[in-house]
Amino acid sequence: MRRTAWSPRTSTVRAPWLTEWMNAKQAAKAAVARSASDFGERRNADLIRTLLDDAPHASVAAAELGLDAAGGLAVAAFSIIRPETTSLESVREIHRLLHLVTTVCIVQYTNSHSALIGSVVYALLPSNESTARSVHARILREIQTYSPTVTSYPLIAAAGGVATRIEDLPRSRTEAAQTLDYLLTLHSSGQSSSTVALVEDYRTPLNLLKVGEFINDQGLASHDDIARIRAHDAAQQTDYLDTLRAYLAANGNISAVAHLLHVHNNTVRYRASRLDDEFKLDLADPQKRLWLWLRLTTEDLVGK
C-alpha cells in the first residue's frame, strides 16, 4: 500500500509546533504591515511639516507628495477637546482621528494628504472648484459627524484660507490653527456651541486678536487709561470699567447703557461724569473712544 507523505496541506490535524509556527508567521506579517503603515504616517507627517514650516524645502516636499497647487490648497486642522492629552487612550484617539480624516478626505479628493503633527491632525484640501469653500465646510462637518466613532470627547475643526502657491501654505496653516484656538476659547467659555469653522467665519475677531497681540508686544497697555481704571476699581470696589465697556457698546446711548447694567439712567450719567473728572476721559473724542474700545474688545476676546 502506497503511503502519502505528510504535509501541512494534506493533514487535518495540526501538531502544536505547527500551530505555533503559523501563529508566529501571521504575527510577523502583521508586525511588518504595522511597521510599513507607521513608516508611511511618519514620512507623510515629515513631508507635510516641511511644507508648513520649512519654506526653502517646501517645493521638494510638494513634489514628493505629488501635490498640485495650481487650483489652490487649504490647510484644515482637527483636534479633540479632552482634559489631558498624554494618556495611552488619548494617543489612540488622535491616531483614530487621523485615520478618519484621511478616509473622509480621500473619498472626496484622491490626492488629499493628512498627517498628525503634535496633537493636531492636519489635512491638505484641494481648492480647484468655484464651490471649494462650501466643500471644505462640508468635509469639516462630516468629520465632526463621524467623530463619535473615534472619541467620546468633542472635536473642533477649522480650515485656513486658500493658498494659491506652495509658499503660502504656512499662512493657511496659521489661519487654521488660530481659528481652532478661537473655537476652543468660545467652547470653553460657553459663548458658542459651534466647533467647526472656516477662517472667514471669524475673520473680524481673529484680526482683532492680532491687534491685541501688537498692543501687548509693544507695551502699549501698561499705563494707559484702561489700566488706571482697572486699578481704581480694584482698590475702591467701583464699577467704572464695566460702565465704560457698556457705554462704548451702546455708542453712548444712556438708556441702553442703563439697560445693560441694570441701573437707573441717572446712575449712568453720574458714572460717565466721574470717568471724565477722575480719569480725564473725553468720550466725545472719536479717537479716544476707538482706542478704549480696542483695548477692551481685544482683552475680552482672550478672556481677560
Side-chain angles (χ1 to χ4, degrees):
M1 177 178 178
R2 185 178 178 183
R3 299 182 63 184
T4 304
W6 181 91
S7 73
R9 298 192 180 197
T10 59
S11 176
T12 57
V13 179
R14 292 177 180 172
W17 67 267
L18 178 60
T19 300
E20 292 177 5
W21 176 79
M22 294 184 69
N23 288 341
K25 186 176 180 180
Q26 291 174 350
K29 287 183 177 180
V32 170
R34 284 196 301 271
S35 178
S37 175
D38 291 344
F39 173 78
E41 285 186 10
R42 288 195 300 271
R43 178 179 178 276
N44 229 30
D46 288 342
L47 289 173
I48 291 179
R49 187 181 291 109
T50 299
L51 273 176
L52 303 181
D53 295 333
D54 188 0
H57 300 95
S59 59
V60 176
E64 287 283 334
L65 289 168
L67 287 180
D68 180 9
L73 292 165
V75 178
F78 306 84
S79 185
I80 297 171
I81 306 175
R82 58 178 300 148
E84 47 76 31
T85 58
T86 58
S87 69
L88 179 59
E89 181 56 27
S90 68
V91 173
R92 288 172 175 165
E93 283 185 351
I94 199 67
H95 277 88
R96 290 198 295 266
L97 175 60
L98 170 61
H99 296 151
L100 172 62
V101 171
T102 301
T103 300
V104 173
C105 289
I106 286 179
V107 168
Q108 179 67 40
Y109 311 106
T110 56
N111 61 340
S112 180
H113 297 275
S114 307
L116 175 61
I117 301 177
S119 59
V120 177
V121 174
Y122 290 98
L124 303 179
L125 308 180
S127 308
N128 49 9
E129 308 173 4
S130 60
T131 58
R133 291 309 269 172
S134 62
V135 174
H136 294 168
R138 176 174 57 75
I139 289 173
L140 298 186
R141 291 193 297 270
E142 283 185 9
I143 291 171
Q144 184 188 53
T145 299
Y146 292 126
S147 66
T149 64
V150 301
T151 179
S152 59
Y153 292 95
L155 175 76
I156 49 176
V162 174
T164 56
R165 304 179 304 156
I166 293 297
E167 295 80 1
D168 295 331
L169 282 172
R171 172 189 55 78
S172 183
R173 186 263 187 98
T174 298
E175 291 174 343
Q178 290 174 340
T179 307
L180 206 67
D181 288 342
Y182 187 63
L183 287 173
L184 179 59
T185 298
L186 292 178
H187 183 272
S188 300
S189 63
Q191 298 179 56
S192 173
S193 59
S194 176
T195 53
V196 171
L198 305 177
V199 63
E200 53 264 38
D201 296 333
Y202 292 103
R203 183 76 71 182
T204 297
L206 290 174
N207 286 341
L208 285 170
L209 283 170
K210 294 176 184 177
V211 173
E213 290 175 3
F214 176 82
I215 290 172
N216 291 326
D217 291 345
Q218 299 300 314
L220 304 180
S222 301
H223 305 290
D224 72 342
D225 296 319
I226 298 300
R228 291 191 298 115
I229 296 172
R230 179 176 286 110
H232 184 281
D233 281 350
Q236 304 298 325
Q237 300 299 305
T238 51
D239 298 308
Y240 289 125
L241 199 61
D242 286 343
T243 300
L244 178 60
R245 181 181 283 105
Y247 185 92
L248 295 172
N251 294 316
N253 185 301
I254 296 299
S255 297
V257 176
H259 177 74
L260 287 172
L261 297 176
H262 305 290
V263 297
H264 194 275
N265 286 12
N266 289 338
T267 302
V268 174
R269 293 189 182 93
Y270 170 77
R271 291 182 185 176
S273 67
R274 294 299 298 161
L275 282 169
D276 188 9
D277 296 340
E278 187 79 24
F279 304 102
K280 308 303 179 186
L281 293 187
D282 181 7
L283 296 178
D285 181 350
Q287 290 186 347
K288 173 66 75 173
R289 291 199 308 272
L290 174 61
W291 173 251
L292 295 172
W293 181 85
L294 278 174
R295 285 280 284 111
L296 289 174
T297 299
T298 53
E299 285 191 356
D300 291 344
L301 283 172
V302 294
K304 286 188 177 181

